[in-house]
Amino acid sequence: GLVNHVVSQLIQAIRSRDISFTSIERRSAGSYYEHVKISEPNEFDIMLVMPVTRLQLDECDDTGAYYYLSFKRNPKEKHLFKFLDEDGKLSAFKMLQALKEIIKQEVKNIKNVEVTVKRRKAGSPAITLQIKNPPAEITVDIILTLEVQQSWPPSTQDGLKIEQWLGRKVRGEFRNKPLYLVAKQNKREKVLRGNTWRLSFSHIEKAMMNNHGSSKTCCESDGPKCCRKSCLKLLKYLLEQLKMIHTKKLEKFCSYHVKTAFFHSCVMWPNDTDWHWGDLDHCFQNCLGYFLDCLQKSQLPHFFIPQYNLLSVEDKASSDFLSKQINNELNNGFPIFQE
């Protein structure tokens, strides 16, 4: 409720203060809204979605995930021209700056609750708010997202292999949904100019999490229960706990790694009968086995962009370290879950 109060007030201010942002809509993303949050609801991801009719996408590296954006001829969005850089590319950095300025001004006007804007972590696509909610604090990541009504780029062609799991028809429906691009710095760029955007599939991930069964009734009130979400929660919890103990050594890893491994597991075991509620222990070990295999090979393909490997060979030492920690847990009956 507190988050909604703060975000609603900010969105009103953003829409009214800059003509470029009048069409901004709020979408919720992340684990809280996929119902796979594992600890207190103290972290929220809010996407501020801006509809854009058509954009020219140019890949800026070989991952197939990062793009430079420019407008095609005679765009409707003339109001966004002020965010173009000298090469005519849409600058994520300029847009984020403008957005952040409005938010910084507006948080001063929020009554009855103390809200601050945190300093931006280099390369982070988010504007992070801290809401004091004694005795705790809530963080809200606001992520600027463009919603483009055009077909997905070629790098996604062979991804989203869900035909056996959710069906060919569902895959077609997903691929007809708009393209999402988030303001995200590509670290591989030689010169960091802040004008790259990354594809985002959080809207599809949320849809997959919320309709995860191969049968339509899976986990509905009168349908059979499966343990898919519980497996994902356990994977996330395991990584989160290990990261708390070995913060520096595991800084390269985030929950998106285990979420990706989990989606691949859903494809490997596509039937609801593979995920019986009573078999949670066995299913969790299957998912973990697959993730360990990925760590060992330093190979975890992005679920939607198969050419994009989320585990680089340069980080082999981190992967080996994580692998060792997980095997340690596995062989000792997961003491980390007992604590």
Side-chain angles (χ1 to χ4, degrees), residues 284-303:
F284 171 63
Q285 302 228 15
N286 277 347
C287 291
L288 202 55
Y290 172 74
F291 185 51
L292 281 166
D293 198 39
C294 293
L295 289 171
Q296 194 200 335
K297 297 178 181 147
S298 283
Q299 190 69 35
L300 174 60
H302 190 288
F303 193 67

Side-chain angles (χ1 to χ4, degrees), residues 43-56:
E43 292 177 359
F44 294 84
D45 293 333
I46 305 285
M47 299 180 100
L48 290 191
V49 177
M50 236 174 119
V52 181
T53 35
R54 299 215 41 217
L55 287 168
Q56 168 78 34

Side-chain angles (χ1 to χ4, degrees), residues 31-32 36-44 133 135-139 237 240:
S31 56
Y32 178 76
V36 287
K37 186 90 184 96
I38 44 178
S39 40
E40 290 296 305
N42 58 356
E43 292 177 359
F44 294 84
N133 182 28
E137 281 202 343
I138 298 173
T139 57
Y237 184 76
E240 202 172 272

Side-chain angles (χ1 to χ4, degrees), residues 92-192:
F93 177 73
K94 283 185 178 182
M95 286 184 82
L96 279 176
Q97 282 300 89
L99 203 54
K100 191 171 182 177
E101 275 315 304
I102 299 172
I103 291 173
K104 271 170 124 171
Q105 293 308 313
E106 188 57 29
V107 292
K108 299 174 188 159
N109 304 330
I110 297 178
K111 302 275 181 286
N112 318 336
V113 55
E114 190 186 326
V115 185
T116 48
V117 181
K118 284 179 66 173
R119 284 201 51 187
R120 199 165 88 102
K121 287 203 282 287
S124 160
I127 295 169
T128 305
L129 306 178
Q130 228 154 3
I131 303 175
K132 282 236 185 331
N133 182 28
E137 281 202 343
I138 298 173
T139 57
V140 179
D141 277 346
I142 293 179
I143 300 149
L144 176 63
T145 309
L146 303 179
E147 180 182 85
V148 194
Q149 299 293 339
Q150 68 194 50
S151 49
W152 295 11
S155 64
T156 63
Q157 196 57 53
D158 299 327
L160 192 58
K161 280 259 170 279
I162 55 173
E163 291 89 343
Q164 304 300 311
W165 166 32
L166 299 174
R168 183 167 287 132
K169 186 167 158 246
V170 173
R171 183 179 190 267
E173 284 166 7
F174 283 160
R175 286 189 56 92
N176 279 327
K177 290 197 183 305
L179 195 59
Y180 275 23
L181 291 143
V182 295
K184 177 79 173 109
Q185 184 63 64
N186 181 3
K187 295 194 183 69
R188 298 188 182 191
E189 273 202 305
K190 301 284 178 285
V191 185
L192 296 182

Side-chain angles (χ1 to χ4, degrees), residues 9-276:
Q9 184 168 335
L10 290 178
I11 288 177
Q12 274 185 308
I14 291 165
R15 284 185 186 146
S16 62
R17 290 206 197 156
D18 188 330
I19 183 158
S20 311
F21 298 132
T22 43
S23 59
I24 247 170
E25 292 281 335
R26 167 194 175 159
R27 298 280 151 77
S28 313
S31 56
Y32 178 76
Y33 299 100
E34 291 169 351
H35 308 291
V36 287
K37 186 90 184 96
I38 44 178
S39 40
E40 290 296 305
N42 58 356
E43 292 177 359
F44 294 84
D45 293 333
I46 305 285
M47 299 180 100
L48 290 191
V49 177
M50 236 174 119
V52 181
T53 35
R54 299 215 41 217
L55 287 168
Q56 168 78 34
L57 271 63
D58 295 303
E59 291 194 24
C60 65
D61 64 8
D62 56 1
T63 61
Y66 288 92
Y67 291 83
Y68 297 121
L69 305 182
S70 47
F71 286 105
K72 305 220 166 173
R73 275 199 317 239
N74 301 328
K76 289 189 184 133
E77 288 81 14
K78 300 259 194 295
H79 54 269
L80 296 180
F81 281 11
K82 63 178 180 191
F83 300 127
L84 297 177
D85 65 13
E86 59 279 5
D87 303 330
K89 297 190 183 85
L90 191 57
S91 163
F93 177 73
K94 283 185 178 182
M95 286 184 82
L96 279 176
Q97 282 300 89
L99 203 54
K100 191 171 182 177
E101 275 315 304
I102 299 172
I103 291 173
K104 271 170 124 171
Q105 293 308 313
E106 188 57 29
V107 292
K108 299 174 188 159
N109 304 330
I110 297 178
K111 302 275 181 286
N112 318 336
V113 55
E114 190 186 326
V115 185
T116 48
V117 181
K118 284 179 66 173
R119 284 201 51 187
R120 199 165 88 102
K121 287 203 282 287
S124 160
I127 295 169
T128 305
L129 306 178
Q130 228 154 3
I131 303 175
K132 282 236 185 331
N133 182 28
E137 281 202 343
I138 298 173
T139 57
V140 179
D141 277 346
I142 293 179
I143 300 149
L144 176 63
T145 309
L146 303 179
E147 180 182 85
V148 194
Q149 299 293 339
Q150 68 194 50
S151 49
W152 295 11
S155 64
T156 63
Q157 196 57 53
D158 299 327
L160 192 58
K161 280 259 170 279
I162 55 173
E163 291 89 343
Q164 304 300 311
W165 166 32
L166 299 174
R168 183 167 287 132
K169 186 167 158 246
V170 173
R171 183 179 190 267
E173 284 166 7
F174 283 160
R175 286 189 56 92
N176 279 327
K177 290 197 183 305
L179 195 59
Y180 275 23
L181 291 143
V182 295
K184 177 79 173 109
Q185 184 63 64
N186 181 3
K187 295 194 183 69
R188 298 188 182 191
E189 273 202 305
K190 301 284 178 285
V191 185
L192 296 182
R193 286 204 299 277
N195 60 359
T196 55
W197 298 77
R198 192 187 64 200
L199 294 180
S200 163
F201 300 92
S202 56
H203 53 321
I204 312 291
E205 289 162 14
K206 186 173 164 184
M208 290 195 300
M209 288 308 306
N210 292 337
N211 290 300
H212 52 254
S214 51
S215 81
K216 289 289 163 261
T217 54
C218 185
C219 289
E220 284 183 2
S221 51
D222 47 357
K225 281 245 175 299
C226 81
C227 63
R228 288 180 180 92
K229 281 191 175 183
S230 300
C231 281
L232 177 56
K233 284 183 176 179
L234 286 171
L235 288 169
K236 288 176 62 167
Y237 184 76
L238 176 62
L239 180 63
E240 202 172 272
Q241 295 302 309
L242 289 172
K243 274 179 68 98
M244 279 166 82
I245 305 167
H246 310 282
T247 314
K248 201 83 196 107
K249 284 191 164 157
L250 296 179
E251 67 183 357
K252 291 272 194 286
F253 293 97
C254 64
S255 64
Y256 199 71
H257 287 103
V258 291
K259 189 181 187 182
T260 300
F262 166 74
F263 283 139
H264 285 300
S265 301
C266 288
V267 168
M268 286 166 79
W269 295 285
N271 303 315
D272 296 345
T273 47
D274 300 324
W275 300 86
H276 270 307

